[in-house]
């Protein structure tokens, strides 16, 4: 007998009629990622939607290569490419209604652009001028979020608020596989499930968090499995199959809009490029792995489906590429202009009303800038007291 | 006479060397963090450690700062000496709960029974063109938390010496690494005997008679440059490198200011509620009768760290320091 038992404090009998609160079975993800393309089931998808996805994928890929080129020319400080992941980005943008909200992470420039954001405005953060180059309310795109997973609770709160107000709004939040380890991820999912908030979480599992592979990130059977513990459904989808991602996300959005609560979707994909242009991927992965995934390219998959079914011909392919070139040329031209920044903007938006201290600092910088303008050469040091 | 060929190392390399030497000397030293293993850290400071000491001693953790620091607390409770890497200044914030609620006060709340010998390495500060959340100077938050040591090297030798001392310390140390000095070199030769600096001593980097620039970390080279520039105008500035913000070396600082009679505190984090306020107050308290002018501060503006294209306007540079020196009302006979 243990001390606890002797004291009578330990009563191992379970309560009489314990029932799980939720039947876990319908919440569990399928063992294999959901696929549509090449499975013979794509016929149920609207051909116009497939063609639209295709055009956006081609444009998205071109955006990625153009942005990467801009880093080499020094026009962009850094760019985390989403090459290989375009199907997730594009589907995320296209499943949302105008009134819905997108909560991107720092890699999701493309989702923002596919939602209609001006390609240059989407890059200000990465170029190094303003942190967020757009008004989040205009297109209902939260700022591209750098601290990982911190945008997820925001998405939950916004969706919850919309519901409290009686608005028919869904929030879709994007996060990487690495980001699912952060406390904010867990707290967001828990709140979402408890509140039954109309929010959809899309994890783009691209294999790595910088250098750390998924098996060092989680021991779960899949990231989608994590949903079950919170009491929401988890869905696993082939992240390179644009039709499948669109289908699964549409289901989840519909479910959320109908009051069914949140869904966690894991899209299995791959990061073809390095983490950013500043990263050396050869330190942590081999070429052969990358090549395997190249063969499973989202554009190739969709193009194959469309051409085999006669929904796309050479002309259509060329048209998509031309549209992408036009976008790239415009992006290049506008990014090659030096941005004009006003240093006084440093103080403009710290508070609604600047503090007296900030006003002092503002005046000080203004004087410095005036002095700089007076002397084109580096200003010599002229002490006020004139001491020598 | 034999001359030793100097093989200068960068500050990042000196830090690597310090970690390696500490791990070799003491099997209880464990390095952990995001990307510290195979990749060797995004700044390559942990390069080669996983290979040399195995993944149990240099561990790629899941991506969770609170988890990293929280598990390090448990490891330290069991007798290990974890050295934790926070990838960037602003990404240490998720770990603040652990830092403030546990790391900083474990010794105190257990009445000395459970000290926590752990080191938290945080690359900090701006000037490298980093995007949002990659340039914060968070030292004021750390300084305001009793129970933490806060140190920051400005030279390659100090990077080695202070990191060794931090790892050897029986108290938690927040080790702030000035990002923009990672690639700086000085005459430190990794193959020569390497000294370990005791935590808590400031050093006079440049002696002078006319005024003292009190500074630390990334602003030290800027102050030295300012002192050089001022020399041609006839001013002889002393530069004190604090090296340690907690504990604070009142003696060295006060002795310097008493000699020179004037002081300017220089740092790149915001001035309001910033480290300079504390330092200026301490100097005034100790040196009031020696001061010929109020202690001035040259700091970053009180704004969220700006985007890279504007950071040069934010960071205190040579001109702003010289301007402050001018405001000390220089006398012609100095
Ligand atoms: C809170 C936080 N910690 C660390 C970082 C530094 N960091 C930037 S990206 C990254 C890896 C992210 O991996 P994952 O979530 O899988 O997204 P992916 O880059 O693959 O899109 C890390 C560690 C960060 N941005 N935020």
């Amino acid at each position: 007998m243990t001390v606890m038992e002797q004291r009578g404090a330990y009563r191992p009998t379970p309560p009489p009629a314990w029932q799980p609160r939720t039947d876990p079975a319908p919440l569990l993800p399928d063992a294999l990622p959901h696929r549509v393309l090449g499975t013979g089931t794509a016929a149920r998808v609207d051909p116009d939607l497939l063609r639209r996805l295709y055009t956006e994928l081609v444009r998205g890929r071109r955006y990625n290569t153009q942005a990467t080129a801009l880093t080499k020319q020094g026009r962009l400080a850094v760019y985390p490419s989403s090459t290989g992941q375009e199907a997730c980005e594009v589907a995320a943008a296209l499943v949302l209604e105008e009134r819905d909200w997108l909560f991107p992470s720092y890699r999701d420039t493309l989702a923002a652009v596919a939602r209609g954001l001006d390609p240059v405005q989407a890059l200000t953060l990465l170029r190094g001028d303003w942190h967020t180059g757009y008004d989040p309310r205009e297109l209902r795109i939260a700022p591209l979020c750098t601290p990982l997973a911190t945008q997820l609770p925001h998405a939950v709160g916004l969706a919850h608020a919309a519901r409290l107000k009686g608005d028919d709004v869904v929030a879709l939040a994007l996060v990487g596989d690495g980001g699912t380890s952060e406390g904010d991820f867990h707290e967001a999912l828990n709140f979402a499930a408890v509140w039954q908030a109309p929010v959809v979480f899309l994890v783009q599992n691209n294999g790595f968090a910088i250098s750390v592979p998924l098996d060092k990130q989680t021991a779960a059977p899949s990231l989608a499995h994590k949903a079950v513990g919170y009491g929401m459904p988890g869905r696993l989808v082939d992240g390179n199959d644009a039709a499948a991602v669109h289908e699964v996300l549409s289901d989840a959005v519909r479910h959320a809009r109908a009051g069914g609560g949140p869904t966690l979707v894991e899209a299995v994909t791959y990061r073809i490029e390095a983490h950013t242009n500043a990263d050396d991927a050869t330190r942590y992965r081999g070429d052969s792995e990358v090549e395997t995934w190249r063969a499973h390219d989202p554009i190739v998959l969709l193009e194959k489906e469309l051409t085999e079914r006669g929904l796309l011909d050479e002309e259509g392919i060329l048209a998509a590429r031309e549209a992408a070139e036009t976008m790239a040329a415009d992006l290049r031209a506008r990014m090659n202009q030096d941005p004009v920044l006003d240093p006084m903007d440093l103080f403009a938006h710290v508070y609604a009303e600047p503090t007296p201290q900030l006003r002092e600092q503002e005046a000080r910088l203004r004087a410095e800038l005036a002095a700089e303008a007076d002397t084109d050469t580096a200003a010599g040091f002229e002490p006020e007291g004139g001491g020598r | 006479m034999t001359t030793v060929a100097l093989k200068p190392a960068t500050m990042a390399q000196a830090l690597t060397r310090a970690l390696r030497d500490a791990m070799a000397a003491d099997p209880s030293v464990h390095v952990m963090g995001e990307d510290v293993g195979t990749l060797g850290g995004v700044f390559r400071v942990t390069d080669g450690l996983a290979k040399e000491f195995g993944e149990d001693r240099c561990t790629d953790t899941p991506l969770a700062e609170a988890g990293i620091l929280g598990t390090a607390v448990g490891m330290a409770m069991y007798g290990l000496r974890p050295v934790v890497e926070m990838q960037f200044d602003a990404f240490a914030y998720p770990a603040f709960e652990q830092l403030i609620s546990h790391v900083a006060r474990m010794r105190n709340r257990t009445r000395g029974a459970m000290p926590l010998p752990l080191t938290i390495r945080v690359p900090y500060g701006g000037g490298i063109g980093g995007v949002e959340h990659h340039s914060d100077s968070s030292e004021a938050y750390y300084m305001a938390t009793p129970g933490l040591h806060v140190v920051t090297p400005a030279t390659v030798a100090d990077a080695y010496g202070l990191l060794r001392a931090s790892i050897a310390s029986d108290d938690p140390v927040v080790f702030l690494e000035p990002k923009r000095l990672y690639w700086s070199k000085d005459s430190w030769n990794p193959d020569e005997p390497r000294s370990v600096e005791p935590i808590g001593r400031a050093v006079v980097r440049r002696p002078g008679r006319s005024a003292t620039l009190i500074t630390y970390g990334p602003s030290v080279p800027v102050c030295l440059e300012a002192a050089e520039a001022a020399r041609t105008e006839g001013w002889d500035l002393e530069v004190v490198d604090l090296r340690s913000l907690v504990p604070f070396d009142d003696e060295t600082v006060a002795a310097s200011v008493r000699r020179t009679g004037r002081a300017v505190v220089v740092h790149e984090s915001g001035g309001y509620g910033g480290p300079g306020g504390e330092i200026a107050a301490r100097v005034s308290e100790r040196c009031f009768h020696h001061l010929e002018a109020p202690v001035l501060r040259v700091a970053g503006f009180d704004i969220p760290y700006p985007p890279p294209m504007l950071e040069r306007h934010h960071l205190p540079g040579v001109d702003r320091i010289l301007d402050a020196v001018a405001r000390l009302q220089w006398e012609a006979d100095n």
Side-chain angles (χ1 to χ4, degrees), chain A residues 25-358:
Chain A
L27 303 180
L28 277 167
D30 292 333
L32 293 176
H34 178 64
R35 288 200 170 127
V36 170
L37 299 177
T39 63
T41 59
R44 65 169 180 251
V45 186
D46 174 12
D48 283 342
L49 173 63
L50 289 179
R51 277 191 288 249
R52 178 134 184 257
L53 285 169
Y54 179 77
T55 312
E56 285 296 330
L57 283 189
V58 172
R59 201 165 81 104
R61 174 65 50 85
R62 189 64 190 90
Y63 188 92
N64 275 327
T65 54
Q66 185 56 60
T68 304
L70 287 166
T71 63
K72 295 192 179 119
Q73 292 150 20
R75 281 294 175 179
L76 203 52
V78 66
Y79 185 69
S81 166
S82 58
T83 291
Q85 302 179 214
E86 292 94 341
C88 305
E89 300 279 314
V90 162
L94 297 195
V95 289
L96 295 181
E97 302 285 338
E98 222 177 282
R99 61 188 179 285
D100 296 333
W101 275 73
L102 180 73
F103 283 79
S105 102
Y106 72 99
R107 194 182 294 285
D108 304 314
T109 332
L110 214 59
V113 171
R115 186 160 167 77
L117 183 61
D118 172 12
V120 171
Q121 285 186 343
L123 286 177
T124 61
L125 167 76
L126 300 162
R127 166 155 76 176
D129 50 27
W130 272 100
H131 297 313
T132 303
Y134 54 93
D135 174 356
R137 286 206 166 98
E138 237 163 65
L139 288 163
R140 285 155 299 278
I141 304 171
L144 292 167
C145 187
T146 305
L148 298 167
T150 48
Q151 80 280 23
L152 304 183
H154 308 167
V156 177
L158 182 136
H160 181 59
R163 210 161 66 129
L164 291 179
K165 283 188 158 190
D167 295 340
D168 186 19
V169 165
V170 172
L172 171 61
L174 306 180
V175 65
D177 42 295
T180 65
S181 294
E182 290 283 0
D184 276 341
F185 172 83
H186 301 279
E187 297 185 23
L189 263 68
N190 193 47
F191 271 69
V194 169
W195 286 350
Q196 288 290 287
V199 57
V200 177
F201 303 97
L202 172 61
V203 180
Q204 293 180 66
N205 169 9
N206 64 8
F208 291 90
I210 307 189
S211 69
V212 179
L214 190 70
D215 60 356
K216 284 191 182 167
Q217 203 62 250
T218 181
S222 76
L223 294 170
H225 272 82
K226 295 192 177 227
V228 184
Y230 298 103
M232 75 174 79
R235 296 284 172 258
L236 198 55
V237 61
D238 181 341
N240 288 24
D241 180 336
V245 183
H246 192 276
E247 196 164 86
V248 169
L249 287 180
S250 305
D251 285 351
V253 167
R254 205 176 308 120
H255 184 70
R257 212 185 295 286
T263 305
L264 173 66
V265 178
E266 174 186 357
V268 184
T269 180
Y270 195 80
R271 195 189 74 212
I272 294 291
E273 302 295 334
H275 167 64
T276 67
N277 51 300
D279 170 43
D280 173 11
T282 60
R283 279 187 166 240
Y284 54 83
R285 72 182 188 190
D287 289 344
S288 65
E289 183 181 295
V290 184
E291 289 319 309
T292 317
W293 277 94
R294 271 191 208 283
H296 192 60
D297 187 283
I299 299 180
V300 174
L301 292 183
L302 187 52
E303 201 172 278
K304 193 154 173 273
E305 177 83 37
L306 286 168
T307 45
E308 275 175 12
R309 288 171 51 203
L311 296 171
L312 183 73
D313 54 13
E314 272 307 308
E315 218 175 296
I317 294 175
L318 278 180
R321 288 192 190 151
E322 264 165 37
E325 277 315 316
T326 308
M327 179 276 302
D330 175 65
L331 177 60
R332 210 164 42 233
R334 288 162 64 209
M335 288 293 288
N336 275 329
Q337 287 158 20
D338 287 326
V340 185
L341 273 78
D342 181 1
M344 298 322 291
D345 260 3
L346 288 176
F347 306 99
H349 305 289
V350 184
Y351 302 98
E353 208 34 65
T355 60
Q357 291 71 34
L358 276 186

Side-chain angles (χ1 to χ4, degrees), chain B residues 222-304:
Chain B
V222 186
C223 285
L224 289 171
E225 200 188 324
E228 271 313 297
R231 198 172 58 99
T232 60
E233 309 281 338
W235 299 300
D236 184 20
L237 299 179
E238 182 147 308
V239 177
V240 173
D241 172 3
L242 294 173
R243 305 203 279 198
S244 166
L245 297 170
V246 183
F248 188 85
D249 185 352
D250 282 308
E251 252 171 63
T252 303
V253 172
S256 171
V257 178
R258 283 180 187 151
R259 268 196 307 277
T260 63
R262 295 174 172 85
V264 181
V265 189
V266 182
H267 58 64
E268 69 177 61
S269 79
Y272 193 84
E278 174 63 34
I279 297 166
R282 304 185 80 78
V283 170
S284 304
E285 283 163 6
R286 279 167 184 75
C287 310
F288 184 73
H289 296 293
H290 301 263
L291 283 171
E292 312 275 345
V295 182
L296 299 180
R297 285 169 294 166
V298 178
F301 293 129
D302 298 317
I303 58 174

